[in-house]
């Protein structure tokens, strides 16, 4: 984002070892620049309150990185708190030399002063890093915090669309526009599925022939689907794309059954799969929080995510199988068979996607959940996607969880989680924890 801004505030006092302080300052700036192009930096450590005030005046950052380059008392942190009300990282430098001689930086004592102040003024939800700017763990944590702050800003400009209502008994997927705006900054757009169905019926073949070529390129065996169903599928795909592009929508929660079977004659599964492949987060069964979870996973990985239900457990392999009727992005398919096309397992109408998902050494299972009191929480579990074929009709992914899979299932059921989850390719757990912290939401690690 061009207007996203990170401000680096290195504070200290001139009575410590300035050669060490300047060395750490230069390495810190270099590290942050390697993570983001959107940083604002002073020319050196800010060694007085006056220097600090001059530097932060008229800035409007989305993330503050407050580093105790040397010790600085809480008066420095007070100035930062008074000036900015945005996410903050407090960074302690490791003491560069321990040789029985002079204490070079005393950064850690400064961090305690700042952290104590933050708690007393009600700003206790800050992130914290301990480590030198050249350490891998420091870089990893800083990268996660910067990504989370940038995502928070992007959520403020997000249009998410509800296409139709959730089916009876699926009320967990509903969301109120005011709640989404207040908690995430997200704007909710609503439209009935029948409006897009009617729009789909109005197109001429010439208007959608290019999308048919796109689908044939990505899907394996679409030519085996009856021509009438292929025609209806592509028409709805165009209707969805036109609506999404016309309203600058980045995520949709779409109604699927029974309307698309009974009123239109073709499932929407293939449409959602194509949209997910284009990095438009598309959940089915009108699950709004599922769609928002998908968007967050896609944003943090820049790749499609899997959306589905936990349907099977293997205690011996320590795995959980996630499955859904056939909406997974084509690019998630295993390479041996590709993104095969089939029919809906219950309605026997196509096209739907039919494949097992590709393996990965690291995946993250995630869900934004809503508690009975209306508060939101983050489900986070780490694992590995195994190289397994399709488990059931539809699309599936087999996840070997880092923690005991039976405990994950038992605890999440007893804790009242919704039945839809996403699986992101890659370990984004630190980014999700940071985002939850920024949004003042509960973190639930399984």
């Amino acid at each position: 984002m061009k207007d996203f801004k990170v401000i680096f505030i290195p504070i200290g006092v001139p009575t410590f070892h300035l050669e060490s302080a300047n060395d750490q300052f230069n390495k810190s700036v270099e590290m942050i620049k390697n993570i983001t192009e959107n940083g604002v930096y002073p020319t050196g450590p800010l060694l007085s309150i006056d220097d600090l005030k001059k530097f932060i005046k008229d800035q409007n950052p989305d993330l503050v990185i407050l580093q105790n380059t040397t010790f600085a008392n809480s008066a420095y942190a007070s100035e930062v708190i008074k000036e900015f009300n945005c996410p903050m990282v407090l960074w302690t430098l490791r003491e560069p030399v321990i040789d029985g001689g002079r204490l070079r930086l005393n950064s850690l004592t400064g961090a305690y002063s700042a952290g104590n102040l933050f708690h007393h003024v009600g700003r206790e939800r800050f992130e914290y890093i301990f480590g030198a700017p050249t350490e891998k763990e420091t870089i990893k944590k800083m990268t996660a915090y910067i990504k989370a702050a940038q995502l928070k800003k992007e959520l403020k400009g997000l249009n998410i669309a509800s296409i139709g209502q959730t089916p009876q008994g699926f009320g967990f997927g509903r969301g109120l526009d005011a709640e989404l705006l207040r908690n995430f900054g997200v704007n909710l757009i609503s439209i009935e599925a029948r409006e897009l169905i009617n729009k789909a019926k109005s197109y001429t073949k010439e208007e959608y022939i290019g999308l048919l070529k796109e689908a044939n390129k990505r899907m394996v065996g679409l030519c085996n689907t009856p021509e009438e169903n292929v025609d209806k599928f592509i028409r709805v795909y165009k209707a969805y794309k036109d609506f999404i592009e016309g309203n600058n929508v980045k995520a949709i929660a779409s109604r699927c059954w029974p309307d698309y079977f009974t009123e239109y004659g073709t499932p929407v599964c293939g449409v959602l799969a194509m949209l997910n492949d284009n990095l438009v987060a598309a959940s089915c069964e009108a699950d709004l929080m599922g769609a928002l979870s998908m968007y967050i996973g896609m944003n943090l990985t820049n790749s499609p995510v899997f959306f589905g239900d936990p349907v099977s457990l293997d205690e011996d392999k320590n795995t959980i199988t996630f499955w859904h009727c056939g909406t997974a992005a084509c690019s998630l398919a295993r390479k041996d068979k590709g993104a095969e096309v089939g029919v809906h397992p219950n309605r026997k109408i196509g096209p739907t996607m039919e494949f097992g998902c590709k393996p990965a050494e690291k995946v993250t299972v995630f869900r934004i959940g809503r508690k009975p009191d209306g508060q939101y929480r983050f489900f986070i579990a780490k694992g590995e996607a195994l190289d397994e074929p399709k488990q059931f009709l539809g699309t599936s992914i087999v996840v070997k969880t880092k923690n005991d899979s039976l405990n994950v299932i038992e605890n999440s059921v007893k804790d009242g989680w919704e039945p839809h989850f996403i699986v992101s390719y890659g370990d984004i757990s630190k980014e999700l924890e940071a985002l939850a912290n920024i949004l003042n939401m509960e973190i639930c690690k399984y």
Side-chain angles (χ1 to χ4, degrees), residues 154-437:
E154 291 187 8
L155 286 173
K156 285 188 175 181
L158 174 66
N159 286 339
I160 187 171
S162 175
I163 300 176
Q165 297 297 317
T166 60
Q168 184 177 0
F170 285 72
F172 65 84
R174 295 173 189 164
L176 298 177
D177 49 5
E179 286 187 354
L180 287 167
L181 183 62
R182 182 178 72 249
N183 289 282
F184 301 95
V186 170
N187 178 48
L188 176 60
I189 299 172
S190 298
I191 187 172
E192 292 299 326
R194 67 173 178 272
E195 294 185 49
L196 294 182
I197 289 175
N198 290 335
K199 182 67 174 176
K201 293 177 180 178
S202 71
Y203 294 123
T204 64
K205 190 171 184 178
E206 289 72 22
E207 289 179 287
Y208 65 77
I209 191 66
L211 298 182
L212 178 59
K213 293 178 181 178
E214 177 192 350
N216 276 311
K217 186 177 180 180
R218 295 185 181 182
M219 296 178 169
V220 177
L222 182 61
C223 58
N224 298 324
T225 302
E227 185 176 345
E228 178 184 358
N229 294 93
V230 173
D231 178 77
K232 289 182 176 181
F233 150 62
I234 293 297
R235 286 175 176 274
V236 173
Y237 180 36
K238 179 170 175 56
Y240 273 53
K241 277 181 66 73
D242 287 353
F243 169 74
I244 287 166
E245 292 169 2
N247 292 277
N248 192 29
V249 169
K250 303 297 183 184
I252 66 166
S254 176
R255 184 165 174 100
C256 47
W257 62 271
D259 308 61
Y260 276 94
F261 299 101
T262 60
E263 302 298 323
Y264 189 63
T266 294
V268 75
C269 305
V271 172
L272 304 185
M274 294 292 290
L275 293 173
N276 282 319
D277 230 11
N278 291 331
L279 297 184
V280 176
S283 70
C284 58
E285 294 169 334
D287 183 359
L288 267 171
M289 302 317 298
L292 184 57
S293 302
M294 294 179 77
Y295 173 82
I296 289 171
M298 287 182 177
N299 183 285
L300 293 174
T301 62
N302 196 33
S303 63
V305 301
F306 185 89
F307 170 89
D309 308 327
V311 296
S312 181
L313 172 69
D314 189 325
E315 297 94 320
D316 293 334
K317 294 182 178 179
N318 199 46
T319 61
I320 301 170
T321 297
F322 294 88
W323 163 93
H324 226 268
C325 307
T327 65
C330 301
S331 56
L332 295 183
R334 285 163 46 99
K335 301 304 179 186
D336 56 348
K337 293 188 176 182
E340 292 185 309
V341 171
V343 297
H344 192 274
N346 298 332
R347 306 282 180 153
K348 307 305 180 185
I349 304 173
T352 63
M353 306 314 302
E354 294 286 330
F355 57 77
C357 288
K358 62 187 179 181
E361 290 184 2
K362 294 180 180 181
V363 297
T364 307
V365 183
F366 170 57
R367 166 83 196 188
I368 301 173
R370 187 176 183 274
K371 297 191 290 185
D373 63 0
Q375 299 295 310
Y376 289 97
R377 57 182 177 171
F378 279 28
F379 177 106
I380 304 172
K382 297 194 289 186
E384 170 190 1
L386 300 186
D387 189 9
E388 296 283 355
K390 181 180 69 175
Q391 303 291 290
F392 309 98
L393 293 176
T395 50
S396 60
I397 184 170
V398 180
V399 177
K400 182 178 181 180
T401 54
K402 182 178 179 180
N403 296 324
D404 183 84
S405 60
L406 179 58
N407 286 343
V408 172
I409 292 295
E410 288 180 336
N411 292 333
S412 56
V413 170
K414 288 192 292 185
D415 290 342
W417 284 91
E418 298 85 346
H420 290 159
F421 294 84
I422 73 157
V423 181
S424 291
Y425 279 73
D427 181 0
I428 56 171
S429 56
K430 289 187 183 296
E431 289 86 344
L432 292 173
E433 289 181 42
L435 181 62
N437 205 23

Side-chain angles (χ1 to χ4, degrees), residues 139-154:
I139 297 169
K140 184 178 180 180
K141 287 182 178 180
M142 189 66 76
T143 301
Y145 299 155
I146 290 174
K147 281 186 175 181
Q150 185 166 348
L151 178 51
K152 177 183 182 291
K153 186 177 181 68
E154 291 187 8

Side-chain angles (χ1 to χ4, degrees), residues 87-133:
M88 186 171 301
V89 177
L90 181 60
W91 182 6
T92 296
L93 292 172
R94 190 182 299 277
E95 198 62 32
V97 178
I98 301 176
D99 59 2
R102 183 182 182 186
L103 183 63
R104 266 71 166 184
L105 302 176
N106 197 20
S107 177
L108 185 54
T109 304
Y112 273 95
S113 297
N116 176 264
L117 174 76
F118 293 163
H119 274 261
H120 279 274
V121 298
R123 295 286 297 276
E124 62 271 14
R125 294 188 75 94
F126 60 90
E127 300 294 346
Y128 180 67
I129 296 177
F130 177 91

